[in-house]
Amino acid sequence: MRFFRWWLVPPAILLLIALYFTAALKWNYSAGERAGWVQKLSRKGWVCKTWEGELALVSLPGASPEKFFFTVRDSQVAEQLNAVMGRRVSLHYEEKVGLPTSCFGETRHFVTGVRVQEEISLSPGVVVPVPPASAASR
């Protein structure tokens, strides 16, 4: 017992905490795509600023929309989302589990990519084309 160094305990605890945060940020519980219309995107937070948004998911015309809440940590992805606001998009997201504070984001779903959907599928085999954005609206 006299070889045990008590001064090694605090650095070891800090190392374990750092490893936990690294693993929680790198590891994905799930990843996928969600398609819909971005309704809201705002920068929130007292200390740690993140982009928080919601995507309206509509399965059939006239049906009440389900909302998909998401977080964006990359400012370039947030700029892409702001540029396509009001158009149908597909968001690539990663679900992170185990982040202990809201400093990383208010949701578990972190958007990492945006793609504009050029057509709307109403049912299998029935597709409504979306008109391209005019040069004046860009």
Side-chain angles (χ1 to χ4, degrees):
M1 218 20 153
R2 69 181 193 184
F3 294 113
F4 186 74
R5 305 284 185 218
W6 288 105
W7 56 271
L8 289 176
V9 173
I13 291 173
L14 290 176
L15 178 66
L16 288 174
I17 291 171
L19 287 174
Y20 174 79
F21 276 102
T22 302
L25 286 170
K26 296 290 182 189
W27 179 73
N28 296 329
Y29 176 73
S30 71
E33 299 267 337
R34 297 274 177 118
W37 287 266
V38 177
Q39 292 188 150
K40 180 182 102 171
L41 186 66
S42 59
R43 190 146 169 87
K44 292 173 116 179
W46 290 102
V47 177
C48 306
K49 298 281 190 182
T50 58
W51 290 91
E52 304 295 329
E54 61 185 53
L55 183 76
L57 307 169
V58 180
S59 57
L60 294 173
S64 61
E66 177 186 346
K67 292 182 181 176
F68 174 67
F69 298 97
F70 61 88
T71 299
V72 180
R73 297 188 68 210
D74 186 1
S75 60
Q76 290 179 338
V77 174
E79 287 175 16
Q80 291 173 352
L81 278 168
N82 276 323
V84 296
M85 188 78 71
R87 296 180 66 194
R88 184 171 165 85
V89 296
S90 177
L91 303 180
H92 181 271
Y93 70 92
E94 297 173 346
E95 185 177 0
K96 309 279 187 187
V97 177
L99 294 175
T101 68
S102 63
C103 193
F104 297 101
E106 292 182 3
T107 70
R108 294 169 35 160
H109 302 97
F110 294 87
V111 171
T112 58
V114 181
R115 188 181 63 208
V116 176
Q117 295 295 105
E118 297 302 329
E119 53 189 33
I120 302 169
S121 176
L122 296 177
S123 65
V126 179
V127 175
V128 176
V130 176
S134 66
S137 67
R138 289 184 188 170

